[in-house]
């Protein structure tokens, strides 16, 4: 079986139950701003005298060093769009790429040097490793350049490169698991004074409408999985916030159960297919 598993709207886990190592291979795809990006600079001009002009590949998003220079960071992460060519490019003299594609370094924490303070996927990864998963063998990370819009990601061939982590594997069918929290006050709408909308940005809203959700995504959006039909399996966790669900004991336990349950009923010949494939790991697919 091939399964797509979503946790809240922040985590995407792709699962394919084909493994001679008694595990369903897992690809962890981060949400917005959840990928570590590294940069290489060779610039002639910078916005401030203290911004670097030259350095080799190093973590840009989001290292403590980069965060301490916010004006430099924002300038270096700026993306230019060419409407005639319909293409995206970095500022002159700047190269940006996801860090440790195929491994776990690009999603384990936002700052690889401070995993304890900037953990993202760390709780789930640690649980999977404790269960016997091995990095770049049956557990992969797929960080991407989240600065790009959907068409920009298509130009960077994100899908094809991510697909290369587990392909070729026979496609049987697709089951979708959706795990999300609810019961947390979540912004659903904002009321502004129309007279304040002019050439400048409007002030804060005069009223905020709140509803149910996970504190970031409202319940109506979280329940979109219910429209996928009988192939969708929904699991909910009262009080689990948008990012807190990554450390929610019940959600993580359910995740491990899902990954092992489908494998137990998989035909042995399909498990051997995965075991015959070479391991994959590379860094910096997108320049």
């Amino acid at each position: 079986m091939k399964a797509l598993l979503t946790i809240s709207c922040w985590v995407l886990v792709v699962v394919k139950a084909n493994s001679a190592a008694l595990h369903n291979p897992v690809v962890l795809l981060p949400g917005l701003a959840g990928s570590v990006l590294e940069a290489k600079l060779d610039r002639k001009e910078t916005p401030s005298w203290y911004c670097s002009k030259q350095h080799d590949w190093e973590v840009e998003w989001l290292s403590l060093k980069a965060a301490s220079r916010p004006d430099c960071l924002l300038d270096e992460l700026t993306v230019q769009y060419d409407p005639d060519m319909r293409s995206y490019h970095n500022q002159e003299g700047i190269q940006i790429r996801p860090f440790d594609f195929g491994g776990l370094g690009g999603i384990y924490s936002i700052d690889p040097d401070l995993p304890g303070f900037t953990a993202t996927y760390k709780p789930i990864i640690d649980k999977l490793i404790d269960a016997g998963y091995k990095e770049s063998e049956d557990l992969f990370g797929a960080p991407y350049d989240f600065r790009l819009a959907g068409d920009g990601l298509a130009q960077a061939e994100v899908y094809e490169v991510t697909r290369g982590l587990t392909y070729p594997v026979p496609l049987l069918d697709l089951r979708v698991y959706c795990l999300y929290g609810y019961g947390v006050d979540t912004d659903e709408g904002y009321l502004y004074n129309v007279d304040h909308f002019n050439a400048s940005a409007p002030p804060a809203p005069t009223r905020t409408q709140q509803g149910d959700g996970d504190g970031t995504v409202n319940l109506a959006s979280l329940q979109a999985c219910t429209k996928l039909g009988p192939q969708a399996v929904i699991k909910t966790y009262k009080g689990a916030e948008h990012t807190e669900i990554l450390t929610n004991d019940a959600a993580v336990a359910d995740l491990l159960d899902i990954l092992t349950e489908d494998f137990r009923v998989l035909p042995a010949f399909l498990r051997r297919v995965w075991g015959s494939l070479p391991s994959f790991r590379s860094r910096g697919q997108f320049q």
Side-chain angles (χ1 to χ4, degrees), residues 4-72:
L4 181 67
L5 189 148
T6 68
I7 304 179
S8 181
C9 285
W10 195 76
V11 180
L12 179 66
V13 181
V14 180
V15 184
K16 294 183 178 179
N18 312 7
S19 176
L22 301 183
H23 294 119
N24 293 308
V26 174
V27 179
L28 299 174
L29 182 65
L32 186 64
S35 300
V36 177
L37 303 179
E38 56 181 357
K40 182 177 182 180
L41 305 184
D42 186 12
R43 311 187 70 185
K44 295 180 180 179
E45 297 181 357
T46 62
S48 300
W49 62 268
Y50 49 80
C51 297
S52 300
K53 288 187 175 180
Q54 293 183 329
H55 64 64
D56 204 352
W57 291 107
E58 61 181 47
V59 172
E60 180 83 354
W61 180 270
L62 183 61
S63 69
L64 182 62
K65 173 184 174 182
S68 67
R69 303 171 292 116
D71 53 337
C72 307

Side-chain angles (χ1 to χ4, degrees), residues 5-266:
L5 189 148
T6 68
I7 304 179
S8 181
C9 285
W10 195 76
V11 180
L12 179 66
V13 181
V14 180
V15 184
K16 294 183 178 179
N18 312 7
S19 176
L22 301 183
H23 294 119
N24 293 308
V26 174
V27 179
L28 299 174
L29 182 65
L32 186 64
S35 300
V36 177
L37 303 179
E38 56 181 357
K40 182 177 182 180
L41 305 184
D42 186 12
R43 311 187 70 185
K44 295 180 180 179
E45 297 181 357
T46 62
S48 300
W49 62 268
Y50 49 80
C51 297
S52 300
K53 288 187 175 180
Q54 293 183 329
H55 64 64
D56 204 352
W57 291 107
E58 61 181 47
V59 172
E60 180 83 354
W61 180 270
L62 183 61
S63 69
L64 182 62
K65 173 184 174 182
S68 67
R69 303 171 292 116
D71 53 337
C72 307
L73 176 64
L74 292 176
D75 182 69
E76 291 163 7
L77 290 178
T78 296
V79 177
Q80 306 288 342
Y81 178 70
D82 186 333
D84 295 326
M85 300 298 294
R86 296 184 178 181
S87 62
Y88 299 82
H89 58 86
N90 296 311
Q91 302 229 57
E92 184 176 357
I94 299 178
Q95 298 181 63
I96 303 286
R97 68 185 185 186
F99 174 71
D100 196 21
F101 184 88
L104 300 175
I107 63 169
Y108 191 77
S109 60
I110 292 296
D111 185 346
D113 292 328
L114 297 170
F117 296 98
T118 63
T120 49
Y121 277 84
K122 178 181 183 298
I124 288 179
I125 290 173
D126 289 347
K127 290 286 187 180
L128 291 173
I129 291 177
D130 288 344
Y133 276 86
K134 295 183 180 180
E135 180 178 2
S136 300
E137 292 186 12
D138 49 20
L139 180 58
F140 309 91
Y144 58 93
D145 192 343
F146 54 81
R147 303 173 304 152
L148 304 178
D151 58 340
L153 292 174
Q155 292 169 18
E157 299 181 346
V158 170
Y159 169 75
E160 289 299 327
V161 177
T162 304
R163 182 170 177 259
L165 292 172
T166 57
Y167 183 81
V169 177
L171 174 60
L172 300 180
D173 57 20
L174 178 66
R175 180 180 296 173
V176 179
Y177 295 86
C178 296
L179 284 62
Y180 58 83
Y182 72 99
V184 182
D185 288 341
T186 304
D187 291 359
E188 288 190 333
Y190 304 97
L191 179 65
Y192 290 89
N193 186 329
V194 67
D195 296 331
H196 292 163
F197 279 83
N198 48 42
S200 60
T206 56
R207 184 166 64 88
T208 299
Q209 177 180 332
Q210 289 195 322
D212 198 358
D214 67 3
T216 299
V217 181
N218 64 19
L219 190 61
S221 297
L222 292 168
Q223 291 177 333
C225 286
T226 61
K227 300 178 181 180
L228 298 177
Q231 287 294 84
V233 179
I234 314 297
K235 292 181 177 292
T236 61
Y237 308 88
K238 187 175 182 179
E241 295 182 340
H242 191 59
T243 55
E244 183 273 335
I245 197 169
L246 291 173
T247 58
N248 184 283
D249 290 339
V252 173
D254 284 343
L255 170 63
L256 293 174
D257 285 344
I258 291 168
L259 295 179
T260 56
E261 178 184 9
D262 287 334
F263 175 83
R264 289 194 295 267
V265 299
L266 190 75

